[in-house]
């Protein structure tokens, strides 16, 4: 079968590898869609993931169709459409340093257990939408880390795929009002489509002033803070942290789910005096299949996030498009 493998620094090639053998507890999935993540470009640039430098299979956002079922597997049948949790593979995270990647004709799901390593989805859900399950789980965990309460006022910085997923997550968690902010007008329009109550164009509007208009003024050591309860950074830009902490009221929470490539200086006097909580978020320890349920129920909203679908035979173009700033929102490779 064909698979995308990092072969050296700056190099990822489609190569021929053996189709995996299906053990008694495994299933084989014919890939139908796999999203491209920003981390894929990083793995290519550095030449793989230790200890698999130069031989890293790529693809960790899978959706596909079961084509072979091991003798000891129950609850899963040939022909089922499934999403796969890449973090549960015993041979390492799928597409993140493990022995298998989802940018391939077939994916072996080891220890296949419905609701633990994979989940069956209805056949009317488009595969390219189902492939959003993994990045949306990242977004859901980011929202959960902020411990939202019913009625909270929230702002999400960055309306890319994870930011849009966070809007969907906060909506499903019952917060009271959600604002999304970005520099790209088209992304702000998508934020409204998936459930944001309001948007702020960070390129033309004063984010802090607009937040006070939307959420009122919050209690703080000094006046001029917004009544916003949760600030979620899904952009990974230093300006986001600066803006959020300058606007945060007493007791507010700043969640970090965007990847920061450089350290960001923080005024800890502000953190201390206003008792601001800063919390990080990585992966999705428990959220993967919670997202599956919401995705099934609201798949048409999730579909808004996919901006491009590109056939597997043009996977190089998919990597290039996904790595070009502002060129795409979510790129999904289809099979």
């Amino acid at each position: 079968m064909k698979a995308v493998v990092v072969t050296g620094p700056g190099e990822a090639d489609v190569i021929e590898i053996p189709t995996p053998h299906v053990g008694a507890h495994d299933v084989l999935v014919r890939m139908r869609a796999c999203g491209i993540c920003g981390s894929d470009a990083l793995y290519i640039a550095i030449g793989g993931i230790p200890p698999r430098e130069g031989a890293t299979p790529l693809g960790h956002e899978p959706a596909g169709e079961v084509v072979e079922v091991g003798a000891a597997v129950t609850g899963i049948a040939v022909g089922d459409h499934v999403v796969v949790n890449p973090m549960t593979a015993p041979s390492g995270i799928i597409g993140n340093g493990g022995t298998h990647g989802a940018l391939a004709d077939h994916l072996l799901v080891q220890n296949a257990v419905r609701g633990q390593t994979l989940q069956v989805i209805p056949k009317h859900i488009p595969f390219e939408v189902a492939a959003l399950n993994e990045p949306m789980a990242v977004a859901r965990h980011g929202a959960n880390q902020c411990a939202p309460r019913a009625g909270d006022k929230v702002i999400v910085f960055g309306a890319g795929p994870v930011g849009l997923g966070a809007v969907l997550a906060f909506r499903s968690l019952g917060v009271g009002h959600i604002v999304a902010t970005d520099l790209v007008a088209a992304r702000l329009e998508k934020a409204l489509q998936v459930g944001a109550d309001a948007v702020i164009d960070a390129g033309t509007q004063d984010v802090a002033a607009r937040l006070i208009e939307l959420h009122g003024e919050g209690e703080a050591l000094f006046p001029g803070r917004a009544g916003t309860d949760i600030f979620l950074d899904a952009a990974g830009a230093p300006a986001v942290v600066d803006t959020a902490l300058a606007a945060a009221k007493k007791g507010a929470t700043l969640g970090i789910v965007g990847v920061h490539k450089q350290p960001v200086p923080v005024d800890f006097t502000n953190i201390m005096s206003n008792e601001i909580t800063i919390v990080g978020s990585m992966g999705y320890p428990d959220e993967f299949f919670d997202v599956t349920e919401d995705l099934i129920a609201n798949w048409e909203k999730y579909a808004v996030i996919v901006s491009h679908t590109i056939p597997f035979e043009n996977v190089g173009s998919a990597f290039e498009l996904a790595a070009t700033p502002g060129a795409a929102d979510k790129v999904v490779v289809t099979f």
Side-chain angles (χ1 to χ4, degrees):
M1 70 175 188
K2 292 182 171 62
V4 178
V5 175
V6 176
T7 53
E11 298 291 335
D13 297 308
V14 178
I15 65 173
E16 290 281 347
I17 63 172
T19 301
H21 169 74
V22 180
H25 298 277
D26 308 330
V27 303
L28 189 66
V29 176
R30 180 181 178 186
M31 291 306 305
R32 295 295 194 181
C34 181
I36 300 294
C37 176
S39 62
D40 294 325
L42 172 63
Y43 303 152
I44 294 170
I46 65 176
I49 307 172
R52 301 183 59 82
E53 293 97 334
T56 301
L58 291 181
H60 59 269
E61 301 181 6
E65 180 180 353
V66 175
V67 293
E68 188 174 347
V69 179
V73 176
T74 60
I76 303 166
V78 171
D80 282 344
H81 293 190
V82 295
V83 292
V84 180
N85 184 343
M87 293 187 71
T88 58
S91 59
I93 301 173
I94 294 167
N96 275 268
T99 58
H100 302 285
L103 280 169
D105 290 326
H106 293 90
L107 174 66
L108 183 71
V109 181
Q110 301 161 296
N111 295 343
V113 178
R114 188 167 175 167
Q116 294 184 21
T117 54
L118 78 172
Q119 185 58 279
V120 177
I121 61 171
K123 293 185 177 180
H124 69 271
I125 307 295
F127 283 114
E128 64 269 23
V129 179
L132 293 172
N133 200 134
E134 195 275 346
M136 296 301 98
V138 171
R140 174 69 73 97
H141 184 56
N144 282 344
Q145 284 290 90
C146 296
R149 298 167 295 184
D152 273 353
K153 301 168 185 175
V154 176
I155 180 169
V156 176
F157 291 83
V162 172
L164 294 173
V167 171
L168 284 156
F170 279 122
R171 179 60 65 213
S172 71
L173 293 169
V175 302
H177 192 274
I178 304 169
V179 178
T181 181
D182 202 291
L183 295 166
V184 180
R187 288 184 170 184
L188 295 177
E189 179 59 35
K190 286 191 174 186
L192 292 170
Q193 290 179 55
V194 302
D197 297 291
V199 295
I200 300 173
D201 185 334
T204 61
Q205 296 178 285
D206 184 318
V207 174
R210 183 72 178 122
L211 273 181
I212 292 174
E213 291 178 7
L214 292 165
H215 291 165
E217 190 162 344
E219 178 188 353
L221 188 62
F222 299 105
R225 301 298 183 104
T228 309
D229 300 290
I230 294 172
F231 300 76
L232 184 70
D233 172 15
V240 168
V241 175
D242 294 341
T243 299
L245 292 179
K249 67 176 183 178
K250 184 174 181 179
T253 295
L254 168 61
I256 307 292
V257 69
V259 177
H260 284 262
K261 297 180 181 178
Q262 298 292 334
V264 180
V266 172
D267 177 4
F268 278 96
T269 301
N270 178 30
I271 303 300
M272 178 188 68
S273 59
N274 286 304
E275 298 184 337
I276 297 167
T277 297
I278 301 178
V279 59
S281 176
M282 175 63 72
Y284 36 90
D286 304 304
E287 290 87 354
F288 193 89
F289 296 115
D290 292 338
V291 168
T292 308
E293 293 181 13
D294 195 58
L295 189 149
I296 291 169
N298 300 290
W299 72 265
E300 289 166 307
K301 284 188 176 181
Y302 283 90
V304 171
I305 297 172
V306 179
S307 60
H308 296 78
T309 56
I310 295 179
F312 182 51
E313 53 265 30
N314 297 326
V315 67
S317 298
F319 284 130
E320 183 178 349
L321 180 63
T324 303
D329 294 325
K330 189 62 182 180
V331 178
V332 178
V333 173
T334 57
F335 298 76

